[in-house]
Amino acid sequence: MGIRVAVAGASGYAGGELLRLIAGHPEFDLVAATAHSQAGHRLDTVHPQLTGLDLVLAKTDPAALADADLVFLALPHGESAALAAQLPPEARVVDLGADHRLADPYAWANYYGGTHAGQWTYGLPELPGQRERIAAATRVANPGCYANAIILALAPLIAAGAVQPADVVVVAASGTAGAGRATKAHLLASEVMGDLSPYRVGAHQHVPEIKQATGATSLSFTPVLAPMPRGILATVTAVPVREVDPQAVLAEAYAGAPFVHVLPEGRWPHTAATLGSNSCHLQATVDVDAGRMIVVSGLDNLGRGAAGQAVQNANIMLGLPEATGLSVWGVTP
């Protein structure tokens, strides 16, 4: 027997990607996969891409997850905390939802509403000192998908004193999978195809998470829904404090990081290059007119932005090489 793992919320897009990664992980044994409305259904009827995994989805209940050494919670925001509180204290847990990301109860109430469940160890190992904190933790909060892309682009520049923490501006496009699997009229193919549309302009819930992780003091973030299933491309700009090569700052920050790649000069990230991988691609320059530093960040929102990041965190928590069961390389075309 390997390490026993379970997935709560296995019927969603992130849950399905987690199951795919777990099935190919050399150290993980899947002992439970649970769902709400899809409980009782065969897994391959919910996720046809997982045909060959002979499994029936169970009801999401603490008892169904209790035998796992590690539990992934791939539940909607606001639903993880109550379930996590009922799991055995010795079980390691990675929460893909937002319930335990924020330290500030006011920020939680302002952006999410409801009762703040408290902060867990933040699961972005490339931040200074964070890999060691994750290794020592039994409860880890996975970053949000947009937050992952933006933090990796911005945090090293602020930490190096290269840019002002105020007046950070971000425009980022995401595929429709980021909105979840529930049926919504504005996500129908007829509405999305051939269209770009902004949403939650000036009030996106990932803003406090990004500020908390990077040290930014003000952040204007405009998210855009793109006509593609998965992927995020974020353009992050900030005001320089001193003359410095932003690409060099990023390269130094991520030297030796297996999943963050600062691209050679002249090459810019694009979402297809990261599809199916746990990698984030970065490129940077200085705007010749405005003088602002620009970093473009690309990743797969279901891979590095959700399930892949969760498996990376689980590997670190369990003392495994962090790249175990994960791909650095994307799938294209």
Side-chain angles (χ1 to χ4, degrees):
M1 284 287 290
I3 298 166
R4 298 169 300 171
V5 300
V7 177
S11 61
Y13 289 134
E17 186 71 353
L18 269 171
L19 294 175
R20 185 181 73 86
L21 294 174
I22 291 167
H25 196 291
E27 302 294 338
F28 288 175
D29 284 335
L30 182 67
V31 295
T34 74
H36 288 294
S37 62
Q38 299 288 350
H41 289 74
R42 283 179 51 88
L43 178 63
D44 55 8
T45 65
V46 179
H47 293 297
Q49 75 277 20
L50 300 178
T51 295
L53 282 181
D54 187 14
L55 184 70
V56 174
L57 293 170
K59 181 181 178 181
T60 298
D61 181 273
L65 307 167
D67 288 336
D69 301 311
L70 184 139
V71 178
F72 295 103
L73 302 178
L75 301 170
H77 300 318
E79 295 187 14
S80 297
L83 181 60
Q86 300 176 71
L87 295 176
E90 67 273 12
R92 292 175 171 86
V93 181
V94 180
D95 183 9
L96 280 72
D99 292 32
H100 302 96
R101 293 173 188 161
L102 300 182
D104 183 359
Y106 174 78
W108 173 265
N110 195 32
Y111 282 88
Y112 292 95
T115 303
H116 182 237
Q119 186 185 26
W120 289 358
T121 300
Y122 193 60
L124 197 61
E126 289 83 6
L127 293 174
Q130 207 60 24
R131 186 172 279 103
E132 292 75 18
R133 296 183 186 99
I134 294 167
T138 58
R139 299 288 191 271
V140 169
N142 225 47
C145 53
Y146 276 126
N148 201 317
I150 295 164
I151 292 164
L152 290 173
L154 179 62
L157 298 179
I158 292 179
V163 298
Q164 295 179 12
D167 192 22
V168 177
V169 178
V170 180
V171 177
S174 173
T176 57
R181 199 171 187 177
T183 303
K184 301 170 186 175
H186 73 285
L187 297 178
L188 294 172
S190 298
E191 303 290 334
V192 174
M193 294 301 105
D195 188 34
L196 289 170
S197 58
Y199 63 100
R200 295 188 182 177
V201 178
H204 194 275
Q205 68 271 18
H206 286 173
V207 167
E209 179 183 350
I210 296 163
K211 292 171 67 178
Q212 175 180 281
T214 63
T217 57
S218 67
L219 174 71
S220 177
F221 175 33
T222 302
V224 177
L225 183 66
M228 58 186 185
R230 53 201 283 178
I232 284 177
L233 192 72
T235 300
V236 181
T237 78
V239 178
V241 172
R242 57 189 178 89
E243 189 173 333
V244 65
D245 178 0
Q247 189 183 34
V249 173
L250 295 172
E252 181 178 357
Y254 298 123
F259 296 115
V260 182
H261 306 281
V262 182
L263 301 180
E265 187 173 353
R267 279 182 52 200
W268 290 90
H270 53 106
T271 57
T274 64
L275 180 66
S277 80
N278 194 49
S279 290
C280 176
H281 292 180
L282 300 172
Q283 182 58 278
T285 191
V286 177
D287 191 300
V288 296
D289 183 71
R292 295 177 71 94
M293 287 191 185
I294 303 172
V295 184
V296 177
S297 174
L299 54 75
D300 181 342
N301 61 304
L302 290 181
R304 174 70 202 215
Q309 179 70 81
V311 171
Q312 183 182 357
N313 284 322
N315 286 337
I316 295 170
M317 295 169 75
L318 294 163
L320 302 172
E322 68 183 87
T324 306
L326 294 168
S327 176
V328 174
W329 300 285
V331 178
T332 188

